[in-house]
């Protein structure tokens, strides 16, 4: 039995975009309206005629917004599932109550609950796909809706035909009808003698999307361009192509400018970022926020421009709060996105620890100090100065009073840097050395009598310097632990 012309067109769309493979489990979202009823029938027909051995589930969310009509919708979808011998999945939620509690609109709440239901059921029944009945009309309406509410170029791409439904991307949300006009769906339903439910709330103009569908699009068709919907869809497709290219370029740059990456923070080099075209700067920030699971629907154009304008300015560090308790922190040509304010540190703190002299001392999960004692006659000071790393220092053993401990900085800490006169606050020292606030919390401070004598990787105190009367030296070598994340080094040696 050959496929209906419309069904054949949709089958080609499924093949071209690789939406469905044989033997997959698909949750089909069915509201009872014409689009979703047609979707269920079409997928059922393709599965039957082509013997794809798909496991189809019919899923319906009762929003409880229309009283007995909502109950009738649920019963209608259940009967539809039974007629096709398909499992029926039902969940009822009080959208009105949830919207009021969370201070969201009815539309937004319904959308959130609907996708939460799809995610829940797909995980429960081990489904790899969730199919919804969005059409070309929905795409045109969404395009205008986003323009009116404000959007970036990503939003101008309209509704994607396929996207991950969950954070782990185990489930894909697909829209097989996205290139089909609603008038063709209605024609198909008439030809197949299929009934559907009519949601009367779709004709209420107190919702913006309804006003776009019922008032704005007809006005544009009548007064300006009869083919406005085709023009909008064409523009959507052009924007999608542009977005795909630009996003690919942005991802390449993200890899080049990434300095640190962990579960709770992401840091990039802003000197390299600002050399990119503005459009790529926006997409780079977008990419980083996606990696950190920032709620992108709450991010506005102003967030991007404020951050990108600020990082070109010199001076003290700047912090930007984002929705979802995320923070951008910019300091010393580094821009970090953290789940907590960076002043609280995105890195682990460590407890004050006594150094083993001589010996090896582990500083929690941060690193190790190796301490050696040597006669000054056996140490070539000139050779040491030429070959030493930033994490190696030698002190006059006679000037070192035990116990010697290692800790993080404290408010008011001072040191007399080697070769200078007087004391300097560690805070000022870090600023001069361009050490970011979050890095300062991870720099080991070696102290005696609670006074810093070594700021690892930066300087030692005049009190413990090597002199002509030095007989024995204390050599300290710090080795920072390196964490691995997918094979990528996400830790750097202390400056």
């Amino acid at each position: 039995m050959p496929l209906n012309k419309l069904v054949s067109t949709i089958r080609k769309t499924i093949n071209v975009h690789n939406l469905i493979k044989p033997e997959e489990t698909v949750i089909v979202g069915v509201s009872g309206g014409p689009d979703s009823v047609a979707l269920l029938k079409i997928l059922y027909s393709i599965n039957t005629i082509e013997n794809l051995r798909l496991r189809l589930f019919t899923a319906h969310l009762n929003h409880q917004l229309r009283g007995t009509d909502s109950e009738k919708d649920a019963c209608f979808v259940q009967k539809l599932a039974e007629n096709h011998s398909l499992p029926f999945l039902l969940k009822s939620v009080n959208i009105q109550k949830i919207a009021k509690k969370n201070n969201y609109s009815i539309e937004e709440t319904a959308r959130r609950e609907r996708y939460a239901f799809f995610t829940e059921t797909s995980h429960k029944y081990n489904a790899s796909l969730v199919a919804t009945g969005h059409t070309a009309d929905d795409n045109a309406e969404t395009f205008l809706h986003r323009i009116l509410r404000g959007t970036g170029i990503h939003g101008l791409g309209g509704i994607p035909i396929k996207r991950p439904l969950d954070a782990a991307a185990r489930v894909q949300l697909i829209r097989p009808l996205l290139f089909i006009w609603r008038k063709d769906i209605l024609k198909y339903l008439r030809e197949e003698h299929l009934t559907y439910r009519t949601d009367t709330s779709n004709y209420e103009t107190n919702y913006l999307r309804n006003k776009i569908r019922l008032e704005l699009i007809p006005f544009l068709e009548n007064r300006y361009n009869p083919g406005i919907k085709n023009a909008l869809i064409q523009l959507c497709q052009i924007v999608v192509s542009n977005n795909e290219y630009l996003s690919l370029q942005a991802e390449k740059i993200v890899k080049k400018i990434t300095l640190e990456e962990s579960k709770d923070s992401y840091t990039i080099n802003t000197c390299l970022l600002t050399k990119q075209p503005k459009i790529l700067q926006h997409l780079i920030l977008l990419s980083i926020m996606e990696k950190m699971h920032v709620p992108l629907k709450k991010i506005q154009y102003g967030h991007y421009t404020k951050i990108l304008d600020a990082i070109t300015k010199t001076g003290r560090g700047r912090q930007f709060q984002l929705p979802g308790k995320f923070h951008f922190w910019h300091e010393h040509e580094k821009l970090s996105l953290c789940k907590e304010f960076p002043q609280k540190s995105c890195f682990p703190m460590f407890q004050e620890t006594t150094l083993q002299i001589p010996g090896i001392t582990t500083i929690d999960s941060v690193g190790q100090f190796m301490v050696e004692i040597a006669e000054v006659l056996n140490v070539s000071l000139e050779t040491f100065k030429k070959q030493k790393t930033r994490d190696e220092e030698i002190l006059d053993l006679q000037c070192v009073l035990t116990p010697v401990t290692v800790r993080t900085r404290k408010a008011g800490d001072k040191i007399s840097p080697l070769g200078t006169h007087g004391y300097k606050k560690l805070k000022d020292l870090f600023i001069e050395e361009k050490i970011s606030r979050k890095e300062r919390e991870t720099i080991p401070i070696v102290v005696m009598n609670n006074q810093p004598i070594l700021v690892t990787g930066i300087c030692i105190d005049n009190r413990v310097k090597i002199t002509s009367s030095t007989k024995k030296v204390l050599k300290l070598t710090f080795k920072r632990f390196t964490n691995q994340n997918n094979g990528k080094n996400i830790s750097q040696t202390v400056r």
Side-chain angles (χ1 to χ4, degrees), residues 1-16 42 45-46 49-50 176 180 188:
M1 179 180 176
L3 293 175
N4 170 285
K5 184 179 179 181
L6 180 70
V7 178
S8 180
T9 300
I10 292 166
R11 179 58 175 145
K12 289 178 183 177
T13 298
I14 290 172
N15 289 338
V16 168
I42 289 167
S45 298
I46 292 172
I49 295 172
E50 298 197 358
I180 305 297
Y188 168 77

Side-chain angles (χ1 to χ4, degrees), residues 21 27 51 53 66 72 145 370 389 413-414 460 463:
K21 298 175 184 177
I27 305 291
N51 192 28
R53 301 180 301 282
R66 296 164 40 244
K72 289 178 181 178
H145 188 262
M370 183 170 69
T389 67
D413 272 347
K414 295 180 180 179
I460 67 170
R463 289 172 295 164

Side-chain angles (χ1 to χ4, degrees), residues 64-283:
Q64 298 182 5
L65 287 171
R66 296 164 40 244
T68 56
D69 279 347
S70 291
E71 299 299 325
K72 289 178 181 178
D73 288 346
C75 291
F76 172 82
V77 177
Q78 182 176 9
K79 185 68 175 176
L80 187 66
E82 291 172 354
N83 290 343
H84 291 82
S85 300
L86 298 176
F88 175 63
L89 310 176
L90 173 66
K91 183 178 181 180
S92 297
V93 292
N94 190 325
I95 295 296
Q96 192 90 40
K97 185 177 180 180
I98 297 172
K100 186 175 181 180
K101 178 182 178 182
N102 297 319
N103 198 28
Y104 286 124
S105 69
I106 294 294
E107 286 178 295
E108 177 65 12
T109 303
R111 191 194 67 82
R112 284 169 172 265
E113 291 299 317
R114 192 160 51 248
Y115 287 120
F117 170 55
F118 291 152
T119 303
E120 174 190 324
T121 53
S122 60
H123 289 171
K124 183 176 180 180
Y125 295 97
N126 198 29
S128 55
L129 300 171
V130 170
T132 61
H134 290 88
T135 65
D137 293 80
D138 292 313
N139 208 4
E141 292 162 15
T142 297
F143 187 90
L144 285 175
H145 188 262
R146 290 177 179 174
I147 290 176
L148 294 176
R149 295 187 64 178
T151 186
I153 64 163
H154 237 61
L156 288 179
I159 302 173
I161 194 166
K162 181 178 182 179
R163 72 166 176 84
L165 180 63
D166 56 355
R170 291 184 300 169
V171 183
Q172 295 292 316
L173 178 68
I174 61 171
R175 293 155 172 135
L177 310 184
L178 195 61
F179 303 134
I180 305 297
W181 295 106
R182 188 168 290 120
K183 62 182 178 62
D184 296 321
I185 293 292
L186 294 173
K187 180 183 176 184
Y188 168 77
L189 292 172
R190 287 194 300 270
E191 291 173 349
E192 295 294 321
H193 307 290
L194 294 173
T195 58
Y196 52 86
R197 296 282 296 171
T198 300
D199 184 348
T200 55
S201 66
N202 287 336
Y203 300 96
E204 297 174 3
T205 55
N206 52 326
Y207 297 122
L208 178 57
R209 184 176 288 276
N210 287 358
K211 292 180 75 172
I212 291 171
R213 181 174 65 255
L214 301 172
E215 298 177 354
L216 180 57
I217 289 179
F219 176 77
L220 293 173
E221 287 176 326
N222 294 330
R223 298 288 294 273
Y224 295 94
N225 181 2
I228 184 64
K229 289 193 289 187
N230 280 311
L232 292 174
I233 294 301
Q234 180 178 307
L235 181 55
C236 270
Q237 292 171 343
I238 292 171
V239 173
V240 166
S241 297
N242 288 340
N243 282 347
E244 287 176 352
Y245 173 77
L246 291 171
S247 295
L248 184 62
Q249 299 308 307
E251 276 302 314
K252 291 179 181 178
I253 297 167
V254 168
K255 291 179 181 178
K256 292 180 181 179
I257 69 176
T258 296
L259 299 175
E260 298 168 4
E261 178 182 359
S262 71
K263 186 179 78 170
D264 296 321
S265 69
Y266 202 105
T267 303
I268 60 172
N269 182 316
T270 51
C271 182
L272 297 177
L273 173 66
T274 53
K275 291 180 180 178
Q276 308 305 321
K278 276 288 185 182
I279 181 59
L280 288 181
Q281 292 181 31
H282 277 82
L283 291 174

Side-chain angles (χ1 to χ4, degrees), residues 37 67 71 222 242 325 329 385 453 484:
V37 168
E71 299 299 325
N222 294 330
N242 288 340
K325 297 182 179 179
W329 176 259
K385 288 179 181 178
I453 58 171
Q484 298 294 325

